[in-house]
Amino acid sequence: MIPLVSNLAPPVCALLLALTGAAKLFGRQTARLAANTVLVRVLNDGRRATRALRVLGALELALAAALVSSPAALLPGIATALLGAGFTGYLAYAKATAPESSCGCGARAEGPIGLRSFTRAGLVVAGGAAAAGGDAAWWSEVSRRPGGSALVLAAAAVLLAGLTADLDRVWRVPLGKARIRVFGNPLPSVAGERVPVAATVQLLENSLAWQTAMPVVRSALLDHWDDEGWRVLRYAGSYRDARGTHPVSVLFALDLTLTVDTAPNPAVRVSMIDEETEEVVPSAVLTPVPRRTVLPLAT
């Protein structure tokens, strides 16, 4: 088992280094992320910190290429282990001197240095040492033991995915949503606990009713109140007909116990009251619109 892992360590380390190295070297957000790392204080300049990250990314890519292409990964393995040791020392220094700083490990992930960062650095050390101790090229090992190699590589892929914050949106967020759908909200509202108004507004703004009424709404939330299990939200608006433009109050009513976690598609009551005549405006002034796709967040 140990020779199998050692011989397959080069492609696993290469994949990790290629991901983080490419993100640093070619990432469009490298400069912004560098500004949040301890490198700015060490190098006393944001542009130097950015260049340092890009040089490190190039080094990681070069090591990744050497690990994948070299039949005997002794020197690339040793260099990888040393790089991992350098990562660990840098993280320890940053954690001790600037605990609020970002890791800068991946050019998309930004956040404080934590267990993931140290585990990833430790994996680089262990992987480099294992690669240096291999006795056969990784492709020969795959050819000789394809079943065992597939299991080891699959386990390594799962481990890398768990350690790469950049991939959270691929598996962690969908997994969390699926868990809530299957097992329910782990923090359900208890009896008597009031759902914040902001949560109701968020629920409303995700609804088709809100998208349909958007052409009429002209203000932010003006007023709200709870009545017999419903939460009523009032906005100002206006609509046009043959007689001209008329100001209206747009009222939305939602179940006051619901949030986006418990009811992604809630029932919403919509009413419009003419401000001048105080009559209910026919709903025909609302034009149904197709559901809009939420734009991805820039990270």
Side-chain angles (χ1 to χ4, degrees):
M1 185 64 182
I2 293 179
L4 176 63
V5 173
S6 295
N7 292 332
L8 294 179
V12 175
C13 289
L15 176 61
L16 175 59
L17 294 176
L19 290 174
T20 57
K24 293 188 187 79
L25 182 59
F26 303 114
R28 289 181 294 179
Q29 303 182 53
T30 301
R32 180 176 62 82
L33 291 176
N36 296 326
T37 67
V38 75
L39 287 173
V40 173
R41 190 168 64 186
V42 173
L43 300 175
N44 199 29
D45 186 89
R47 285 178 295 185
R48 291 175 187 164
T50 302
R51 283 198 294 269
L53 275 186
R54 294 199 188 280
V55 169
L56 178 58
L59 176 60
E60 290 179 76
L61 287 176
L63 270 180
L67 284 166
V68 170
S69 61
S70 175
L74 176 61
L75 292 180
I78 293 174
T80 300
L82 292 175
L83 181 65
F87 284 155
T88 305
Y90 161 77
L91 292 173
Y93 172 78
K95 187 72 174 175
T97 59
E100 75 286 355
S101 64
S102 177
C103 170
C105 306
R108 294 179 184 171
E110 186 174 15
I113 297 170
L115 180 60
R116 268 184 172 183
S117 306
F118 283 101
T119 303
R120 191 166 46 237
L123 184 63
V124 174
V125 175
D135 57 4
W138 63 270
W139 53 82
S140 299
E141 189 66 48
V142 171
S143 177
R144 190 166 58 239
R145 289 189 283 186
S149 299
L151 289 176
V152 171
L153 293 176
V158 172
L159 178 61
L160 293 182
L163 293 174
T164 306
D166 295 345
L167 299 179
D168 280 356
R169 286 186 299 175
V170 175
W171 68 273
R172 196 170 183 175
V173 174
L175 185 64
K177 291 182 177 179
R179 180 177 58 80
I180 290 175
R181 282 197 294 270
V182 174
F183 300 106
N185 188 347
L187 299 173
S189 299
V190 298
E193 183 176 341
R194 189 169 183 270
V195 172
V197 174
T200 306
V201 172
Q202 181 188 24
L203 183 63
L204 170 65
E205 293 180 351
N206 284 339
S207 70
L208 184 60
W210 173 258
Q211 294 184 16
T212 303
M214 278 180 63
V216 176
V217 174
R218 294 287 184 273
S219 76
L221 179 64
L222 297 179
D223 194 8
H224 62 87
W225 61 89
D226 298 342
D227 184 26
E228 296 183 350
W230 292 89
R231 173 160 290 159
V232 182
L233 307 173
R234 186 174 77 86
Y235 295 78
S238 66
Y239 75 99
R240 289 182 59 84
D241 63 7
R243 296 173 299 162
T245 302
H246 308 275
V248 293
S249 285
V250 187
L251 305 176
F252 299 94
L254 298 86
D255 188 322
L256 63 81
T257 64
L258 300 181
T259 68
V260 290
D261 292 331
T262 58
N265 298 299
V268 181
R269 294 180 177 178
V270 185
S271 299
M272 291 186 296
I273 309 297
D274 192 300
E275 292 286 350
E276 297 173 346
T277 64
E278 297 185 349
E279 295 178 347
V280 176
V281 178
S283 60
V285 301
L286 299 177
T287 303
V289 296
R291 179 174 288 277
R292 299 176 182 176
T293 303
V294 178
L295 295 175
L297 295 176
T299 58

